[in-house]
Amino acid sequence: MNELTISLDPHRKTPLYEQIYSFIREEIRSGRIRAGEQLPSARALSGYLSVSRSTVDLAYEQLVSEGYLESVPCKGYFVCEIEGLYRLDEKKEETKEAATAEQTRFRCDFAVTGTAPGGFPQNIWKKISKEVLMDAKEDLFQLGDAKGEHGLREAIRDYLHHARGVNCHTEQIIVGAGNDYLLMLLSVILGRDHRVAMENPTYISAYRCFEKLGYEMCSISMDEMGMRPAELEKSGADLAYIMPSHQFPMGMVMPMKRRMQLLAWASRKVGRYLIEDDYDSEFRYKGRPIPALQGNDTKGKVIYLGTFSRAIAPSIRISYMVLPETLLPVYEESGRYFSATVSKTDQKILEEFMRSGAFERHLNRMRAQYKGKHDLLIRLLKELGRDYTVSGENAGVHVLVHLPKGLSEADAVQRAKKAGVRVYGLERYCISNADWEQKMQKSAGKSDAEAGEEKGNKDTGKKEEEKEEKKEAVSGGTVLLGYAGLSEKEITEAVEILKVYWNR
C-alpha cells in the first residue's frame, strides 16, 4: 500500500495526527485494512497528505502502542492481527438509560440517604483543591500514613472535641474510605470470635457487613430509651453496635441513664466493647447537639465511628474511627499492614476545608436548609389527619409516620408507589431473630427437632401477647420519609398526593 486517502480538516479542534490515527484505526477495526498489510512509510504518507513527517510519526506511534500496528526495522509498519484486541463496547449507553429510567419512575422519592441538591460546597471545594495542587510538594504523591495524614487527624480531633465532646489523641484516630472499610479493619483488630448485638430495627448495611465478616449476630429489642441492657446481658454478646445520639431508623436519642447502663455492661467483662456510630449528629434542630457517648467513657470501652458522607456528600467517602487507647497496641501489631484507603490529596483538601472554617459555615448553611424542609414536612403531615402520628423529628434528615388502623405498612408503600411517590416501610430495617435463636438452641445442646418443638409450645398467655404488641408497635404500620434530597415544592406536592391515596 503506497497511499492512504484521508480527509484532513485543519480547522477542526482535533489535532491532525489524531485525525490520521482515528482514520487508520477505524479502517483496521472494520477490516478494510487487513492483518499483515503494509502501510505507507511515514515519509511517503506525509508527502501524500501534505503534512509534516512528525505528524504521521505521532499517529503511527499511537497505533503501535495500542497494538494495531507493528514496526518492523528496515521494512516499515504492518497491520497486526487484532482478533481478541480489547474494544470498548459502545452499547453501554443502554445500561445508563435503563438505570436512569429506573430512578425516574418515581415523581418523588423520600429517600433516607443522600444530601440536598446543590448542597455540596462546590466553589470553595474547587478553590481549596486548586490551592492544594498548586502548592503540592513531592511527598503529597507518596504513600502516606496508614492511619491517615496527621494534619487531617488533628483537624478531626479538634472538631470532635469541640462539637461532639469526644476525648481522644490524634494517634487514636484512623481515617478510611467509608464505614464498611473501618468495620473490616476493626474485625482485623478485634478478631472474629465475637457475638455482635445490634438494635432492632437498625442500620441494615452495618448488620450485613458484620454478617459477611463472619460474626455471630443477635438483635436486641428497644424501649423508649434504646437498646435494653437486660436483654443485651442475656444475649451472650460482647460487642454492641449502637447509635445513641440519633438511632436509625427510630430517630430516638438515648438518655444518660441508658448510656451509663450500657457502659456498665461493657465494663463488667474484659473484651466487651460498645461500637458507637455517630452518623448524622450534626443535624439537630432543637437544642444543642447531643454529646457523644465516647465522652463519658472512662474505661476505654467505646469504639467511635463518624463520617463526612452525611455532612458534606456521600461521594466524599471519608470516615474515621476513634480506637480506645487499650486497642492501639493491637492495631500496631495487625492493622498497620493495611495502607490508607483515602488519597493524600483528598485528605489534604478536607483538612484545609475544616481548618479554614468552611466546614463550619457549610454545616450552618445545611442545618438551616434542612430545618426549613423539616418544619415544612412536619406541618404538612399534620394535615393527613389526627390518626397519623409522627416521631423521630427535630434531628437527622428523616421522620417516621405511624399509620392509622386499617392502613398497613405494605399497603401504604404500594399506594404511594402507584401515585409515583416512594416511601420506605420500617419493616425493611427490622432483623429476624429466628436464625440466631436457633443457634442459641444448638449451643445449648438441643437438636433442630427439639428446638422446633420448644418454639411450637411457647406460652401464648398474656406475657406473650404483650411481647407481640411491642413488636407490632416497632415494626408494623410505620413508614420513613427522608427529606434531604427534595425541594420544598416537591415535599409539598408529594404529601398532597399521599393525603389523597392514603385516605381513600
Side-chain angles (χ1 to χ4, degrees):
M1 183 184 295
N2 296 320
E3 55 190 43
L4 281 173
T5 304
I6 305 174
S7 179
L8 299 179
D9 184 356
H11 302 295
R12 283 172 55 188
K13 291 183 180 179
T14 308
L16 292 176
Y17 88 89
E18 196 170 323
Q19 294 181 42
I20 297 170
Y21 150 79
S22 298
F23 176 85
I24 297 175
R25 185 191 64 170
E26 290 307 312
E27 292 291 293
I28 294 172
R29 290 172 67 170
S30 65
R32 288 187 287 269
I33 300 179
R34 293 182 292 276
E37 196 167 344
Q38 185 176 7
L39 266 61
S41 67
R43 183 188 300 275
L45 186 59
S46 63
Y48 181 73
L49 297 176
S50 300
V51 297
S52 68
R53 179 173 172 177
S54 61
T55 299
V56 178
D57 283 335
L58 278 172
Y60 276 2
E61 286 170 10
Q62 184 64 32
L63 290 163
V64 169
S65 66
E66 292 186 12
Y68 289 100
L69 295 183
E70 179 185 8
S71 176
V72 180
C74 304
K75 290 187 177 181
Y77 292 95
F78 294 82
V79 178
C80 295
E81 176 62 59
I82 66 168
E83 185 177 352
L85 188 68
Y86 179 76
R87 293 174 58 178
L88 286 175
D89 189 351
E90 296 178 1
K91 291 183 179 179
K92 290 203 177 213
E93 190 64 32
E94 295 175 7
T95 308
K96 291 182 182 178
E97 291 176 358
T100 305
E102 178 68 19
Q103 293 172 0
T104 55
R105 281 191 307 171
F106 293 95
R107 294 165 57 185
C108 178
D109 188 347
F110 281 103
V112 296
T113 58
T115 54
F120 182 72
Q122 189 167 350
N123 291 335
I124 184 64
W125 195 269
K126 188 186 297 183
K127 178 177 178 290
I128 293 173
S129 301
K130 187 176 179 180
E131 290 172 354
V132 166
L133 291 173
M134 286 181 65
D135 300 336
K137 297 178 181 178
E138 184 59 33
D139 64 343
L140 183 65
F141 307 104
Q142 304 300 321
L143 191 64
D145 193 322
K147 286 184 177 179
E149 295 310 293
H150 191 269
L152 175 59
R153 290 188 287 123
E154 275 190 333
I156 292 173
R157 178 204 62 194
D158 295 342
Y159 165 71
L160 290 178
H161 177 70
H162 294 298
R164 304 296 303 123
V166 171
N167 299 313
C168 67
H169 303 295
T170 306
E171 59 267 24
Q172 292 175 251
I173 299 173
I174 300 173
V175 175
N179 280 17
D180 294 342
Y181 165 76
L182 292 176
L183 291 180
M184 287 189 282
L185 181 60
L186 187 59
S187 72
V188 174
I189 298 169
L190 296 177
R192 300 184 183 181
D193 188 21
H194 295 278
R195 175 176 288 172
V196 181
M198 295 189 71
E199 299 156 320
N200 194 16
T202 191
Y203 179 43
I204 291 296
S205 292
Y207 180 85
R208 299 299 179 211
C209 186
F210 279 119
E211 255 191 342
K212 295 300 181 184
L213 289 170
Y215 285 104
E216 188 175 357
M217 304 298 297
C218 62
S219 63
I220 309 297
S221 63
M222 295 187 294
D223 56 21
E224 67 280 359
M225 292 195 292
M227 181 180 281
R228 299 172 186 267
E231 193 174 326
L232 174 61
E233 188 71 57
K234 292 177 182 178
S235 70
D238 47 8
L239 298 176
Y241 185 97
I242 55 175
M243 295 163 274
S245 295
H246 186 229
Q247 202 277 339
F248 183 87
M250 300 305 292
M252 64 182 67
V253 176
M254 187 179 289
M256 186 58 68
K257 179 181 178 181
R258 181 57 50 84
R259 295 178 181 218
M260 293 299 104
Q261 289 173 329
L262 293 180
L263 283 172
W265 167 84
S267 300
R268 278 195 286 273
K269 284 189 179 180
V270 176
R272 281 183 177 178
Y273 292 98
L274 296 169
I275 302 173
E276 179 182 10
D277 187 350
D278 203 14
Y279 67 101
D280 72 347
S281 56
E282 293 88 358
F283 301 118
R284 185 166 178 79
Y285 316 118
K286 190 176 181 181
R288 291 179 58 83
I290 307 301
L293 172 65
Q294 195 270 1
N296 301 115
D297 177 27
T298 58
K299 304 276 184 72
K301 290 293 183 178
V302 176
I303 299 165
Y304 181 88
L305 297 175
T307 181
F308 292 100
S309 292
R310 288 290 180 95
I312 303 177
S315 61
I316 292 296
R317 300 302 298 158
I318 301 180
S319 298
Y320 49 89
M321 174 169 62
V322 180
L323 287 177
E325 288 188 86
T326 53
L327 288 178
L328 288 179
V330 186
Y331 168 78
E332 294 294 335
E333 182 180 339
S334 55
R336 273 282 184 182
Y337 298 106
F338 295 86
S339 298
T341 51
V342 181
S343 76
K344 290 177 71 173
T345 306
D346 290 337
Q347 292 187 57
K348 186 63 177 176
I349 293 169
L350 179 56
E351 177 193 340
E352 294 301 321
F353 185 68
M354 298 179 75
R355 291 195 183 283
S356 66
F359 182 50
E360 184 178 356
R361 293 192 296 273
H362 168 72
L363 283 180
N364 289 335
R365 179 171 65 89
M366 297 311 298
R367 195 179 290 119
Q369 189 175 140
Y370 288 150
K371 184 180 187 302
K373 295 180 181 182
H374 165 274
D375 294 348
L376 172 65
L377 180 59
I378 295 298
R379 179 172 59 80
L380 292 171
L381 290 175
K382 289 179 181 178
E383 298 174 8
L384 287 175
R386 63 182 182 180
D387 292 332
Y388 294 86
T389 57
V390 178
S391 66
E393 67 274 34
N394 298 318
V397 290
H398 78 275
V399 297
L400 293 91
V401 180
H402 306 283
L403 306 169
K405 291 181 179 179
L407 179 60
S408 69
E409 180 179 304
D411 195 20
V413 172
Q414 193 60 33
R415 288 189 194 185
K417 183 178 179 180
K418 287 181 179 179
V421 177
R422 189 173 190 181
V423 300
Y424 297 80
L426 181 62
E427 186 66 32
R428 67 191 293 155
Y429 304 103
C430 293
I431 305 166
S432 169
N433 276 332
D435 292 340
W436 81 270
E437 280 180 352
Q438 192 171 30
K439 289 177 184 176
M440 292 276 284
Q441 297 282 5
K442 285 185 176 180
S443 66
K446 295 176 182 177
S447 66
D448 290 344
E450 290 173 329
E453 184 179 352
E454 183 173 321
K455 186 177 180 181
N457 291 330
K458 278 185 177 178
D459 179 41
T460 55
K462 185 177 180 181
K463 190 174 181 181
E464 192 65 22
E465 290 175 358
E466 289 174 354
K467 286 171 75 175
E468 287 300 317
E469 286 173 2
K470 287 177 182 176
K471 184 179 177 183
E472 270 190 38
V474 171
S475 61
T478 302
V479 297
L480 279 69
L481 302 182
Y483 48 85
L486 300 175
S487 66
E488 293 191 359
K489 180 181 178 182
E490 288 172 326
I491 292 172
T492 303
E493 291 175 352
V495 175
E496 285 299 319
I497 292 170
L498 293 179
K499 186 192 299 184
V500 172
Y501 279 77
W502 281 357
N503 288 330
R504 278 180 173 173

